[in-house]
Amino acid sequence: MKSLWRTLVLLVLHLLSLACRREPAMPALTGRPVILCAGDSITADIYPRLLKEMLERDGLRVQVINAGVKGDNTAEYLGFLERSRIVERSEPKWVLLQLGTNDVRSDSHDTPLPRFRRNLEAILDRIGRQRNRDGSTPQVLLATVPPVPKDVRWHFNAAARARVEAEINPTIRAVARERGLVLADHHALFAARPELLPDVHPSPEGYRELAAAWRRVLLPLLKAAPASGARP
């Protein structure tokens, strides 16, 4: 009976998450080089807007598109990319990818490690197949995921916290190394400053630091790209 109740509760939670799920709309393109921010609710929140503001202050002419989907694990996000064709439609120069937090949830989103890696590789392969009209292929910058704080309950437990450290981030680092991708170590950022991460989502200051971390790894790439140079 206890097992049946647990199954029913997980089913209800899963249905509620589907009801609350909202996929991002494709904005009108401005003709500027596109930075596509891909990920889950950590991306769907405010860091893309903050990143855009920072880059504008740097005098860089780019369009930042928020393609975060709240609640998605890697399998769901792969499905979103296939349905929306947002990579094909936006023709990004750079893709900022951070996924994995929802893959360790203790509900129906839980993703075994081999499947997580397959999903992540499939997402990267899909982005890598994109050929923009100017002949370029999007450059992916891959990020580790933040720790899951000990006080967080709900969809996360001790096993979920351990998986971030022992499985998810080591896999992300390995994939980045094997594919020669730029790695943004957001786990290290929040592990060093836990006050920025009150739950699985950063605080307002944490989001500013997250945007700044992406900016640091992006700047050398943006400044080297002629079409996104500083304003005259």
Side-chain angles (χ1 to χ4, degrees):
M1 180 62 73
K2 186 176 180 181
S3 176
L4 176 60
W5 274 109
R6 182 177 184 276
T7 301
L8 289 172
V9 168
L10 290 176
L11 177 60
V12 169
L13 290 175
H14 178 62
L15 292 174
L16 285 173
S17 70
L18 289 177
C20 296
R21 190 175 184 274
R22 184 176 180 181
E23 295 186 351
M26 173 71 185
L29 296 178
T30 63
R32 294 179 176 182
V34 169
I35 299 170
L36 188 69
C37 300
D40 50 34
S41 58
I42 296 175
T43 297
D45 213 314
I46 62 171
Y47 102 66
R49 176 175 60 80
L50 298 173
L51 175 62
K52 178 179 181 293
E53 293 170 357
M54 291 175 182
L55 296 176
E56 285 180 345
R57 287 195 294 270
D58 292 323
L60 293 168
R61 298 189 294 256
V62 293
Q63 180 176 9
V64 179
I65 294 178
N66 189 337
V69 184
K70 294 183 177 182
D72 268 12
N73 61 15
T74 47
E76 291 166 326
Y77 199 78
L78 178 59
F80 161 69
L81 292 180
E82 291 170 347
R83 287 190 307 276
S84 68
R85 296 180 57 82
I86 196 166
V87 174
E88 292 85 348
R89 293 161 62 202
S90 64
E91 297 192 44
K93 289 286 190 179
W94 303 276
V95 177
L96 313 186
L97 180 62
Q98 180 178 304
L99 280 169
T101 297
N102 289 313
D103 291 89
V104 303
R105 283 168 50 165
S106 57
D107 56 14
S108 59
H109 286 70
D110 175 67
T111 309
L113 181 59
R115 192 179 306 157
F116 169 76
R117 176 153 188 158
R118 287 196 301 272
N119 293 341
L120 181 60
E121 298 267 17
I123 289 169
L124 293 170
D125 288 344
R126 183 174 184 85
I127 297 170
R129 288 193 296 271
Q130 168 64 17
R131 294 295 180 271
N132 298 332
R133 281 173 289 180
D134 64 1
S136 65
T137 297
Q139 181 175 1
V140 178
L141 287 72
L142 188 60
T144 55
V145 300
V148 176
K150 290 182 179 179
D151 293 337
V152 173
R153 297 293 185 266
W154 197 237
H155 299 302
F156 300 90
N157 54 24
R161 287 190 290 275
R163 288 193 63 205
V164 168
E165 312 291 335
E167 296 182 5
I168 300 300
N169 281 331
T171 298
I172 291 171
R173 292 188 180 99
V175 169
R177 182 173 59 252
E178 292 163 13
R179 289 179 173 246
L181 304 178
V182 174
L183 180 71
D185 197 349
H186 295 160
H187 181 273
L189 166 68
F190 290 104
R193 298 187 61 187
E195 74 277 6
L196 298 177
L197 195 68
D199 55 38
V200 292
H201 300 101
S203 65
E205 179 62 23
Y207 274 115
R208 282 190 289 272
E209 290 297 324
L210 180 60
W214 276 124
R215 173 185 171 272
R216 284 192 292 273
V217 295
L218 265 171
L219 271 181
L221 307 175
L222 295 174
K223 289 183 176 180
S228 60
R231 296 186 185 97

